[in-house]
Amino acid sequence: MALLEVHDLKTTFKTDDGVVAAVNGLSFSVEPGSTLGIVGESGSGKSVTALSIMRLIAQNGRIASGRILFKGEDLLTKTEAEMRAIRGRDIAMIFQDPMTSLNPVLTVGDQVAEASRLHLGLSKEDAFAKAVEMLRLVRIPSAEKRAHDYPHQFSGGMRQRVMIAMALSCDPAVLIADEPTTALDVTIQAQIIELMNEMQARLGSAIVLITHDLGVVAETCENVLVMYGGNMVEYGTAKQIFAAPKMPYTTGLLDSLPRLDQAGARLVPIEGQPPNLLRLPPGCAFAPRCPYRMPLCDEPVPLFAFDAGHVARCFLYDPRAEGQRAATPPGFAR
C-alpha cells in the first residue's frame, strides 16, 4: 500500500475576481522510501498541493473535494488537533524561504528543539541536546555554539540546513520539500540535495520534492509528476519522462533547458502564457499554447497509458486524432 495517496484533489481560493481553481482534480501516490518530483511552471499548483496535504491552506482557500490518505487514513477527516499531532511528527515540510519560515526572535536551537518537545515529549534540556545533534547531522559547523545564534546570523544555505534539521528531527515518514534550493548558488544547491538524500537513506523517509529545476529532478527522483493548470498532465519514472516525454508541455519544459552537448544553441521557449485559473479552457489547459492543438482538445482530456505506469493527458494518443493533427510531434509514437 502506498504511504501517501492523493485522490481527485480540488483546492480553490476566493478572490475579488472569482474562484481560482488552484488544484483541479489531482491524483498521485508516494511509496515508502521513494522520491517523487513535482515539476511545472509557477502557478501550476505545486505549492498549493503541498499545503493541501499539510492542511495549511490560507483563509480564503478551501479543499473543495478529494481525499488525502496517509497510511490509509484520510487527512481531510482529521480535526485540527489531530493534524497538529501529524504535522512535524509523521509528515514534515521544508518551505521555500527559510528566512520567512524561521522565527527571528528565537534561537535556531530552540526552534529545532520545539518539534521534539511537542511530538516526542522530551524535556527542554533533552530537546535542545537533540537539536544540537540534528544541526550537527546537517553539517552546521560548531553546532553546539551555533544553536544559540539567531536566523539572521546564518547564510541562506545554512538557514536551509536548519529547516532540514527541524523537519527531520522527529523522523517523519514523509518529507515535503517545496523549492528547497531556490535562491541558493549551484554549489550550495548540490550540498542541500546531497544532504536530503543522505537523510532519506538514514531515516527511510519518502520525499515529495517540489521544484522547477529539472536537473535536480533528474538527479534525485525515481518518479516525476508534471503539473499544468492545477492538474497532472504527465507522470512516469524519471527515465521515461526525460527520455520519452509524451505530453507537448513536458517536451517544452525539456527543450527550454540549456544542454552541454548543444553549446551555443538557442533555447526554445514555450510560446504564450500560463492559463488563467479563473477561466480555464473547457478541455486541455495547455491547448492555447500547444503547436499540435486540434478540435478534440476542447473536450475533457483523459489519461492515456504507456509503458509501466507512464501516463499522459493528451489527445495526440487518441485514435480520433489521426486526421486532426496539424503536425506530428518529433519522436511521436502512439
Side-chain angles (χ1 to χ4, degrees):
M1 184 174 68
L3 182 61
L4 178 68
E5 299 174 74
V6 174
H7 296 283
D8 197 27
L9 177 65
K10 296 182 181 179
T11 302
T12 61
F13 293 87
K14 285 185 177 179
T15 70
D16 292 339
D17 297 320
V19 176
V20 173
V23 177
N24 193 24
L26 180 66
S27 299
F28 65 91
S29 62
V30 184
E31 301 295 327
S34 67
T35 301
L36 170 68
I38 300 181
V39 302
E41 293 171 294
S42 296
S44 60
K46 305 186 300 297
S47 294
V48 174
T49 298
L51 294 172
S52 298
I53 293 171
M54 299 295 288
R55 293 263 308 270
L56 292 174
I57 296 298
Q59 287 187 349
N60 67 324
R62 73 183 186 98
I63 298 175
S65 63
R67 293 189 301 158
I68 301 172
L69 303 180
F70 174 67
K71 295 183 178 179
E73 296 187 9
D74 192 349
L75 297 181
L76 300 185
T77 65
K78 302 290 185 183
T79 65
E80 181 55 32
E82 289 172 327
M83 279 305 301
R84 280 198 298 269
I86 291 170
R87 292 188 202 110
R89 177 67 183 91
D90 297 307
I91 306 176
M93 185 168 174
I94 302 171
F95 294 90
Q96 282 191 38
D97 186 355
M99 196 60 204
T100 58
S101 302
L102 293 169
N103 191 323
V105 300
L106 294 177
T107 67
V108 297
D110 284 336
Q111 294 185 64
V112 175
E114 183 179 12
S116 298
R117 292 176 63 189
L118 286 174
H119 297 297
L120 303 182
L122 298 184
S123 66
K124 185 175 181 179
E125 293 75 17
D126 289 343
F128 196 86
K130 182 174 176 62
V132 172
E133 176 190 347
M134 291 303 300
L135 293 175
R136 194 174 291 120
L137 279 174
V138 297
R139 299 187 204 149
I140 290 183
S142 307
E144 191 164 349
K145 177 184 176 183
R146 297 306 308 272
H148 296 280
D149 288 342
Y150 293 86
H152 73 272
Q153 295 174 280
F154 287 74
S155 67
M158 286 297 174
R159 285 195 293 267
Q160 198 61 281
R161 290 170 189 265
V162 171
M163 292 295 296
I164 294 173
M166 189 184 304
L168 296 176
S169 59
C170 295
D171 297 351
V174 177
L175 174 65
I176 301 173
D178 188 4
E179 302 279 9
T181 58
T182 296
L184 302 178
D185 65 57
V186 176
T187 302
I188 302 301
Q189 284 185 24
Q191 292 174 0
I192 294 297
I193 293 300
E194 181 185 2
L195 178 60
M196 289 175 57
N197 290 339
E198 286 180 5
M199 300 300 280
Q200 180 184 36
R202 173 179 170 269
L203 301 174
S205 302
I207 294 179
V208 178
L209 176 62
I210 296 171
T211 182
H212 61 273
D213 191 329
L214 292 172
V216 169
V217 170
E219 185 181 348
T220 62
C221 299
E222 288 94 353
N223 298 301
V224 181
L225 187 159
V226 183
M227 289 190 70
Y228 187 83
N231 206 347
M232 176 178 72
V233 294
E234 187 161 0
Y235 176 89
T237 65
K239 183 176 181 180
Q240 289 168 337
I241 296 296
F242 283 87
K246 302 297 184 183
M247 171 70 184
Y249 175 64
T250 308
T251 303
L253 288 178
L254 295 172
D255 286 346
S256 66
L257 291 174
R259 294 178 52 170
L260 292 176
D261 61 348
Q262 295 180 358
R266 291 181 59 122
L267 300 181
V268 181
I270 301 175
E271 299 294 337
Q273 298 296 323
N276 183 342
L277 297 180
L278 283 165
R279 291 176 289 277
L280 285 170
C284 176
F286 185 62
R289 306 172 70 186
C290 183
Y292 313 109
R293 183 179 181 180
M294 50 192 153
L296 268 179
C297 298
D298 292 331
E299 301 178 14
V301 192
L303 285 171
F304 292 86
F306 306 95
D307 298 333
H310 187 185
V311 295
R313 199 180 297 278
C314 183
F315 275 123
L316 284 173
Y317 306 95
D318 189 306
R320 295 175 294 167
E322 193 63 41
Q324 294 191 23
R325 289 197 305 269
T328 300
F332 173 75
R334 192 173 302 286

Short mmCIF file of all heavy atoms in Angstrom, two decimals, residues 41 228 248-256 266-275 285-293:
data_model
loop_
_atom_site.label_atom_id
_atom_site.label_comp_id
_atom_site.label_asym_id
_atom_site.label_seq_id
_atom_site.Cartn_x
_atom_site.Cartn_y
_atom_site.Cartn_z
N GLU A 41 5.58 25.03 -14.29
CA GLU A 41 5.80 26.47 -14.20
C GLU A 41 5.20 27.03 -12.92
O GLU A 41 4.37 26.40 -12.27
CB GLU A 41 5.17 27.16 -15.41
CG GLU A 41 5.82 26.85 -16.74
CD GLU A 41 5.00 27.40 -17.90
OE1 GLU A 41 3.88 26.92 -18.12
OE2 GLU A 41 5.51 28.31 -18.57
N TYR A 228 0.27 21.16 -14.76
CA TYR A 228 -0.05 22.33 -15.56
C TYR A 228 -1.51 22.68 -15.31
O TYR A 228 -2.38 21.81 -15.34
CB TYR A 228 0.17 22.06 -17.05
CG TYR A 228 0.01 23.29 -17.91
CD1 TYR A 228 1.06 24.18 -18.07
CD2 TYR A 228 -1.20 23.57 -18.55
CE1 TYR A 228 0.91 25.32 -18.84
CE2 TYR A 228 -1.36 24.71 -19.32
CZ TYR A 228 -0.29 25.59 -19.46
OH TYR A 228 -0.44 26.73 -20.22
N PRO A 248 3.15 17.39 -24.97
CA PRO A 248 3.89 18.51 -25.56
C PRO A 248 4.39 19.51 -24.52
O PRO A 248 5.45 20.12 -24.71
CB PRO A 248 2.87 19.15 -26.50
CG PRO A 248 1.98 18.02 -26.90
CD PRO A 248 1.88 17.15 -25.68
N TYR A 249 3.66 19.70 -23.43
CA TYR A 249 4.12 20.63 -22.39
C TYR A 249 5.41 20.11 -21.75
O TYR A 249 6.35 20.88 -21.52
CB TYR A 249 3.04 20.80 -21.32
CG TYR A 249 3.50 21.66 -20.16
CD1 TYR A 249 3.83 23.00 -20.34
CD2 TYR A 249 3.60 21.12 -18.87
CE1 TYR A 249 4.24 23.78 -19.28
CE2 TYR A 249 4.01 21.90 -17.80
CZ TYR A 249 4.34 23.23 -18.01
OH TYR A 249 4.75 24.00 -16.96
N THR A 250 5.47 18.81 -21.46
CA THR A 250 6.69 18.22 -20.89
C THR A 250 7.85 18.39 -21.85
O THR A 250 8.96 18.75 -21.46
CB THR A 250 6.48 16.73 -20.59
OG1 THR A 250 5.30 16.55 -19.81
CG2 THR A 250 7.67 16.15 -19.84
N THR A 251 7.60 18.15 -23.12
CA THR A 251 8.63 18.34 -24.14
C THR A 251 9.11 19.78 -24.16
O THR A 251 10.31 20.06 -24.28
CB THR A 251 8.09 17.95 -25.53
OG1 THR A 251 7.63 16.60 -25.49
CG2 THR A 251 9.17 18.07 -26.59
N GLY A 252 8.15 20.72 -24.03
CA GLY A 252 8.52 22.13 -24.00
C GLY A 252 9.40 22.48 -22.82
O GLY A 252 10.36 23.26 -22.95
N LEU A 253 9.09 21.92 -21.64
CA LEU A 253 9.93 22.16 -20.47
C LEU A 253 11.35 21.65 -20.71
O LEU A 253 12.34 22.33 -20.38
CB LEU A 253 9.35 21.46 -19.24
CG LEU A 253 8.06 22.03 -18.64
CD1 LEU A 253 7.62 21.17 -17.46
CD2 LEU A 253 8.26 23.47 -18.18
N LEU A 254 11.46 20.46 -21.28
CA LEU A 254 12.79 19.88 -21.52
C LEU A 254 13.55 20.65 -22.59
O LEU A 254 14.77 20.85 -22.49
CB LEU A 254 12.65 18.41 -21.92
CG LEU A 254 12.08 17.49 -20.83
CD1 LEU A 254 11.81 16.10 -21.39
CD2 LEU A 254 13.04 17.40 -19.65
N ASP A 255 12.85 21.11 -23.62
CA ASP A 255 13.50 21.86 -24.70
C ASP A 255 13.98 23.23 -24.24
O ASP A 255 14.84 23.85 -24.89
CB ASP A 255 12.55 22.03 -25.89
CG ASP A 255 12.36 20.74 -26.68
OD1 ASP A 255 13.16 19.81 -26.46
OD2 ASP A 255 11.41 20.67 -27.48
N SER A 256 13.41 23.74 -23.16
CA SER A 256 13.80 25.07 -22.67
C SER A 256 15.04 25.01 -21.78
O SER A 256 15.51 26.06 -21.30
CB SER A 256 12.64 25.71 -21.89
OG SER A 256 12.38 24.99 -20.70
N ARG A 266 20.32 28.10 -29.37
CA ARG A 266 19.30 28.93 -28.72
C ARG A 266 18.34 28.05 -27.95
O ARG A 266 17.99 26.96 -28.39
CB ARG A 266 18.54 29.73 -29.78
CG ARG A 266 19.37 30.80 -30.45
CD ARG A 266 18.52 31.55 -31.44
NE ARG A 266 17.37 32.16 -30.79
CZ ARG A 266 17.10 33.46 -30.82
NH1 ARG A 266 17.92 34.28 -31.44
NH2 ARG A 266 16.04 33.94 -30.22
N LEU A 267 17.90 28.54 -26.80
CA LEU A 267 16.88 27.84 -26.05
C LEU A 267 15.53 28.00 -26.74
O LEU A 267 15.28 29.01 -27.39
CB LEU A 267 16.80 28.37 -24.62
CG LEU A 267 18.07 28.25 -23.78
CD1 LEU A 267 17.82 28.78 -22.37
CD2 LEU A 267 18.53 26.80 -23.70
N VAL A 268 14.69 26.99 -26.61
CA VAL A 268 13.37 27.02 -27.24
C VAL A 268 12.33 27.30 -26.17
O VAL A 268 12.02 26.44 -25.35
CB VAL A 268 13.06 25.68 -27.93
CG1 VAL A 268 11.69 25.74 -28.61
CG2 VAL A 268 14.15 25.32 -28.92
N PRO A 269 11.77 28.50 -26.15
CA PRO A 269 10.77 28.82 -25.11
C PRO A 269 9.41 28.21 -25.44
O PRO A 269 9.13 27.86 -26.59
CB PRO A 269 10.70 30.34 -25.15
CG PRO A 269 11.00 30.68 -26.58
CD PRO A 269 12.01 29.65 -27.04
N ILE A 270 8.57 28.07 -24.41
CA ILE A 270 7.18 27.68 -24.63
C ILE A 270 6.40 28.96 -24.94
O ILE A 270 6.38 29.89 -24.12
CB ILE A 270 6.59 26.99 -23.39
CG1 ILE A 270 7.40 25.74 -23.04
CG2 ILE A 270 5.14 26.63 -23.62
CD1 ILE A 270 6.95 25.05 -21.76
N GLU A 271 5.81 29.02 -26.09
CA GLU A 271 5.08 30.23 -26.50
C GLU A 271 3.87 30.46 -25.60
O GLU A 271 3.28 29.52 -25.06
CB GLU A 271 4.63 30.11 -27.96
CG GLU A 271 5.78 29.96 -28.96
CD GLU A 271 6.66 31.20 -29.05
OE1 GLU A 271 6.17 32.30 -28.69
OE2 GLU A 271 7.81 31.08 -29.47
N GLY A 272 3.46 31.73 -25.47
CA GLY A 272 2.24 32.06 -24.75
C GLY A 272 2.45 32.15 -23.25
O GLY A 272 3.57 32.14 -22.75
N GLN A 273 1.34 32.24 -22.53
CA GLN A 273 1.35 32.44 -21.09
C GLN A 273 0.61 31.29 -20.40
O GLN A 273 -0.27 30.67 -20.99
CB GLN A 273 0.65 33.76 -20.73
CG GLN A 273 1.33 34.99 -21.30
CD GLN A 273 2.71 35.20 -20.73
OE1 GLN A 273 2.95 34.95 -19.55
NE2 GLN A 273 3.64 35.67 -21.56
N PRO A 274 0.97 31.01 -19.12
CA PRO A 274 0.21 30.00 -18.36
C PRO A 274 -1.27 30.38 -18.30
O PRO A 274 -1.63 31.55 -18.44
CB PRO A 274 0.86 30.06 -16.97
CG PRO A 274 2.23 30.58 -17.21
CD PRO A 274 2.09 31.55 -18.36
N PRO A 275 -2.14 29.40 -18.08
CA PRO A 275 -3.58 29.67 -18.13
C PRO A 275 -4.05 30.52 -16.96
O PRO A 275 -3.47 30.51 -15.88
CB PRO A 275 -4.20 28.27 -18.06
CG PRO A 275 -3.19 27.46 -17.30
CD PRO A 275 -1.86 27.99 -17.75
N ALA A 285 -5.91 22.35 -20.78
CA ALA A 285 -5.48 23.68 -20.33
C ALA A 285 -4.29 24.19 -21.14
O ALA A 285 -4.08 25.40 -21.25
CB ALA A 285 -5.14 23.64 -18.85
N PHE A 286 -3.51 23.27 -21.72
CA PHE A 286 -2.32 23.67 -22.48
C PHE A 286 -2.64 23.98 -23.94
O PHE A 286 -1.80 24.52 -24.66
CB PHE A 286 -1.26 22.56 -22.40
CG PHE A 286 0.05 22.91 -23.03
CD1 PHE A 286 0.82 23.96 -22.55
CD2 PHE A 286 0.53 22.19 -24.12
CE1 PHE A 286 2.04 24.29 -23.14
CE2 PHE A 286 1.74 22.50 -24.71
CZ PHE A 286 2.50 23.56 -24.22
N ALA A 287 -3.85 23.65 -24.38
CA ALA A 287 -4.19 23.77 -25.80
C ALA A 287 -3.89 25.14 -26.40
O ALA A 287 -3.37 25.21 -27.52
CB ALA A 287 -5.66 23.40 -26.00
N PRO A 288 -4.19 26.27 -25.73
CA PRO A 288 -3.92 27.57 -26.36
C PRO A 288 -2.44 27.79 -26.68
O PRO A 288 -2.13 28.64 -27.53
CB PRO A 288 -4.41 28.57 -25.30
CG PRO A 288 -5.44 27.82 -24.52
CD PRO A 288 -4.92 26.42 -24.45
N ARG A 289 -1.54 27.06 -26.03
CA ARG A 289 -0.10 27.24 -26.26
C ARG A 289 0.50 26.10 -27.08
O ARG A 289 1.70 26.12 -27.38
CB ARG A 289 0.63 27.33 -24.93
CG ARG A 289 0.09 28.37 -23.98
CD ARG A 289 0.73 28.28 -22.61
NE ARG A 289 2.11 28.69 -22.59
CZ ARG A 289 2.91 28.58 -21.53
NH1 ARG A 289 2.44 28.08 -20.40
NH2 ARG A 289 4.16 28.99 -21.58
N CYS A 290 -0.30 25.10 -27.40
CA CYS A 290 0.24 23.86 -27.98
C CYS A 290 0.32 23.94 -29.50
O CYS A 290 -0.67 24.30 -30.17
CB CYS A 290 -0.64 22.68 -27.57
SG CYS A 290 -0.03 21.09 -28.16
N PRO A 291 1.45 23.59 -30.11
CA PRO A 291 1.57 23.62 -31.57
C PRO A 291 0.77 22.51 -32.25
O PRO A 291 0.61 22.53 -33.47
CB PRO A 291 3.07 23.44 -31.81
CG PRO A 291 3.57 22.72 -30.60
CD PRO A 291 2.74 23.22 -29.46
N TYR A 292 0.29 21.53 -31.50
CA TYR A 292 -0.44 20.40 -32.07
C TYR A 292 -1.94 20.45 -31.73
O TYR A 292 -2.63 19.45 -31.76
CB TYR A 292 0.17 19.09 -31.58
CG TYR A 292 1.67 19.08 -31.69
CD1 TYR A 292 2.46 19.14 -30.54
CD2 TYR A 292 2.29 19.07 -32.94
CE1 TYR A 292 3.84 19.18 -30.65
CE2 TYR A 292 3.66 19.10 -33.05
CZ TYR A 292 4.44 19.16 -31.90
OH TYR A 292 5.80 19.19 -32.01
N ARG A 293 -2.43 21.63 -31.38
CA ARG A 293 -3.83 21.76 -30.99
C ARG A 293 -4.76 21.32 -32.11
O ARG A 293 -4.50 21.54 -33.29
CB ARG A 293 -4.13 23.22 -30.63
CG ARG A 293 -5.56 23.42 -30.15
CD ARG A 293 -5.82 24.86 -29.79
NE ARG A 293 -7.20 25.02 -29.30
CZ ARG A 293 -7.71 26.17 -28.91
NH1 ARG A 293 -6.97 27.26 -28.95
NH2 ARG A 293 -8.95 26.23 -28.48
#
